[in-house]
Amino acid sequence: MTTCENHADHTHNTTCKVCKSEYCHDCHPSYLGICDKCGYKILIVLVVVMVVMSYIAWFGVL
């Protein structure tokens, strides 16, 4: 376990549910238990899926 730069007295006791890396829950609180990097990756995938689905809905391509 390593310590956070901002919270030297705390340890990284939270692990990401997706990538299993440690992150500081005090600096980056997450209700889902995922780190920021995985959260951004999931958001990018959701945006791409939304664009594809809207293209399919408008033009009927499938």
Side-chain angles (χ1 to χ4, degrees):
M1 295 264 180
T2 58
T3 59
C4 175
E5 298 170 354
N6 298 331
H7 303 97
D9 54 343
H10 294 115
T11 59
H12 292 286
N13 55 0
T14 308
T15 58
C16 177
K17 292 181 181 179
V18 178
C19 67
K20 307 296 184 211
S21 66
E22 296 178 344
Y23 70 97
C24 180
H25 184 71
D26 294 333
C27 293
H28 308 285
S30 173
Y31 297 112
L32 299 175
I34 58 174
C35 64
D36 287 343
K37 293 178 184 178
C38 291
Y40 289 132
K41 290 175 187 177
I42 291 170
L43 287 176
I44 289 170
V45 169
L46 285 175
V47 167
V48 169
V49 168
M50 288 174 52
V51 168
V52 169
M53 293 303 290
S54 68
Y55 182 79
I56 290 171
W58 277 98
F59 300 110
V61 177
L62 186 65

